[in-house]
Each structure stands twice: as C-alpha cells, then as structure tokens.
Amino acid sequence: MLVKIHRMLFAYIVFAAASCHYKRKSSDKYTSVYLPKNDSILLALKDTALTHLQIFIDSLTIHGQDTNNYKFQVKSRFADDGIHEHMWSIIFKYNNGHFDGLFADSGFDVRNIKAGDKVRINRKDVEDWLIYNKKDNRTTGFYSEKYLKSKLKK
C-alpha cells in the first residue's frame, strides 16, 4: 500500500502562508510523493519531528503573535472517505495538546477540506513541523523535506 504525501515548494509554504489564498493552480506549486505506508525513513523523520516538537511549541508561545516575522506550520494526515493525504496547516495557537490554525494545502484526492478551513490538530498527530523566521531568513524543523524531495520523479 502506498501513502500520498504532499510536498509544497518551500518558498510557497513560507511566503504565501500569511495570505491564506491557496489554490492548486499548477504542478509547480504542489507535488505529491507516493511512499510505502511504513516507509522506515519517513517514520524516523516523523519521530525526530515529534522528539523536537517542544521547540516548535516554545517558539509558537513566544513568537506566535508576530505573524509578520514568523510562520508556524505542521504537517498531519487528513482523510476523506478512506483516502488519506499528508498536508500542511498554518498554526496560530497551542493549547491543551492541540494546535489551532488554518489548513494551508490543497488536496489532490481529499476534498472534504479546503485552504483556509479552520483546523485543530492533536499534538500526537503532527508528522512534521516548520518555523520560518523572516528576520533571520532561517527555517527550523522541516525534517521530511530533503527526503521527500529526493523521492520526486525527475
């Protein structure tokens, strides 16, 4: 069984995140990677992301209101009638084990959620995360990106 994992181009994720005007316009904005359900490398990267999730939470607590200079996103699984896709959401708040934010991706097959929809993601369901610091032009997290990029068909 293969699992579809979304990989948005990095620049699109961090620079378009604040606007929340996401549409699937072309394949240069969104790509999908199909991997085996129990891909050991991806699972290890997810474990790494979860191990370091407190860094994300601490930074969100300190800088979460500064949406001009910081972007916070998490990747999690979304389902629609038995179809699963792993996609990104913009996060604004963490409280009682949940992240609140807006769905920031565009499903290829999952159609029951669209860009801009409110989401609540359980801490244990986070698969990856990223913090973009515009002031330093630095990204923290984003553990799966290099691996997923290597799996794109050329």
Side-chain angles (χ1 to χ4, degrees):
M1 174 182 269
L2 295 176
V3 177
K4 184 183 278 190
I5 304 196
H6 279 231
R7 190 194 138 276
M8 290 194 299
L9 294 176
F10 177 71
Y12 188 72
I13 293 171
V14 294
F15 296 113
S19 68
C20 299
H21 295 290
Y22 300 99
K23 294 193 177 161
R24 194 168 119 207
K25 295 179 183 174
S26 67
S27 61
D28 65 332
K29 299 270 190 239
Y30 297 93
T31 56
S32 274
V33 176
Y34 289 91
L35 296 173
K37 184 176 182 181
N38 293 314
D39 184 284
S40 62
I41 294 172
L42 191 63
L43 291 174
L45 292 168
K46 177 183 175 183
D47 287 345
T48 301
L50 288 173
T51 298
H52 299 291
L53 187 58
Q54 194 60 46
I55 295 168
F56 181 88
I57 294 168
D58 292 345
S59 186
L60 180 65
T61 301
I62 295 166
H63 302 290
Q65 299 299 313
D66 185 0
T67 57
N68 290 324
N69 292 305
Y70 292 89
K71 308 297 180 232
F72 296 89
Q73 296 191 351
V74 298
K75 185 191 294 183
S76 61
R77 182 175 66 92
F78 292 87
D80 181 10
D81 197 28
I83 298 168
H84 304 271
E85 292 185 61
H86 303 260
M87 299 181 280
W88 291 92
S89 299
I90 302 165
I91 301 301
F92 299 108
K93 180 179 161 188
Y94 177 76
N95 191 25
N96 292 327
H98 293 92
F99 296 97
D100 292 320
L102 299 174
F103 183 68
D105 219 328
S106 179
F108 285 92
D109 299 312
V110 170
R111 299 288 185 203
N112 63 350
I113 190 165
K114 64 184 185 317
D117 285 353
K118 290 182 181 181
V119 293
R120 174 166 274 190
I121 299 166
N122 191 309
R123 176 185 177 133
K124 69 177 177 54
D125 295 331
V126 171
E127 298 175 346
D128 199 355
W129 56 265
L130 73 83
I131 303 166
Y132 176 68
N133 177 338
K134 183 178 179 181
K135 294 188 292 186
D136 297 337
N137 194 29
R138 192 178 80 212
T139 302
T140 307
F142 219 14
Y143 297 99
S144 64
E145 181 64 6
K146 185 175 180 180
Y147 177 64
L148 293 175
K149 195 177 211 178
S150 76
K151 294 298 182 183
L152 288 174
K153 292 183 179 177
K154 309 249 182 213

